[in-house]
Amino acid sequence: MTHTPVAPRGAGRQRREPGEVFGGGFSLFADMLLVGLLTSVACLPVVTAPAAFSAASATLRGTARSGVQISVRGYVGELRARLGARTLLAGLVPPLFALLLLLDSRLLGADLPGAQVLAPALLLLALGAAVVGLRATALEEPHRLSAREGLVRSVADPRGSLLLAGAVVLAALLAWAMPMLVPLLPGPLAFAATAVDLRFPRVRPAP
């Protein structure tokens, strides 16, 4: 009677595919950077930002499920599927919200009463809006780009929201310290939003 040798636990994750030099982790890192560059380019018209981040999330989700390497054609296909009147209107929200925060920050700089309290409140509001927005872009059908569902999941999954908030803060610090990295940052942010959304069903409270 022969026995089939059993591979050590975790050995399958460390095996490289034929022709793969650096391993799966490096490939994922490279894919994430490519998605970041593509998303940055797609965000240049500003109003396309929600569709661009949603396409990035869908592309990363697809490669996580199938293992197929990310391609420019695949991302563009996801982006085209999401561009429409509704998403373009939704794209007006981030710049308008940023303009409102900028005006409020200018008012705080005028030494108005309560400025010391309102300044941290504005930062928390901006961070919360970024988390909800990223969670909305990581949603699949039938909740694609739903701000309401993004808010619901942000409240229902505080741990995931904190993880995503940490990613936003880290991205902001990197953008401030090394502005040349800005075109790459959408990739890690979309990756973080997608990872948080993928774990959401496991933490959803029972009805």
Side-chain angles (χ1 to χ4, degrees), residues 100-129:
L100 180 62
L101 289 178
L102 179 61
L103 293 176
D104 288 340
S105 63
R106 291 291 181 88
L107 291 175
L108 292 178
D111 295 330
L112 294 176
Q116 295 180 348
V117 177
L118 291 178
L122 282 178
L123 288 176
L124 290 176
L125 178 62
L127 182 59

Side-chain angles (χ1 to χ4, degrees), residues 52-127:
F53 272 89
S54 180
S57 177
T59 303
L60 290 169
R61 191 189 299 267
T63 195
R65 288 175 174 172
S66 64
V68 177
Q69 189 174 7
I70 289 176
S71 65
V72 176
R73 179 180 298 180
Y75 177 86
V76 171
E78 295 287 355
L79 180 62
R80 286 178 176 175
R82 284 158 174 77
L83 285 176
R86 176 174 170 268
T87 56
L88 293 178
L89 286 175
L92 293 174
V93 176
L96 291 177
F97 184 76
L99 179 60
L100 180 62
L101 289 178
L102 179 61
L103 293 176
D104 288 340
S105 63
R106 291 291 181 88
L107 291 175
L108 292 178
D111 295 330
L112 294 176
Q116 295 180 348
V117 177
L118 291 178
L122 282 178
L123 288 176
L124 290 176
L125 178 62
L127 182 59

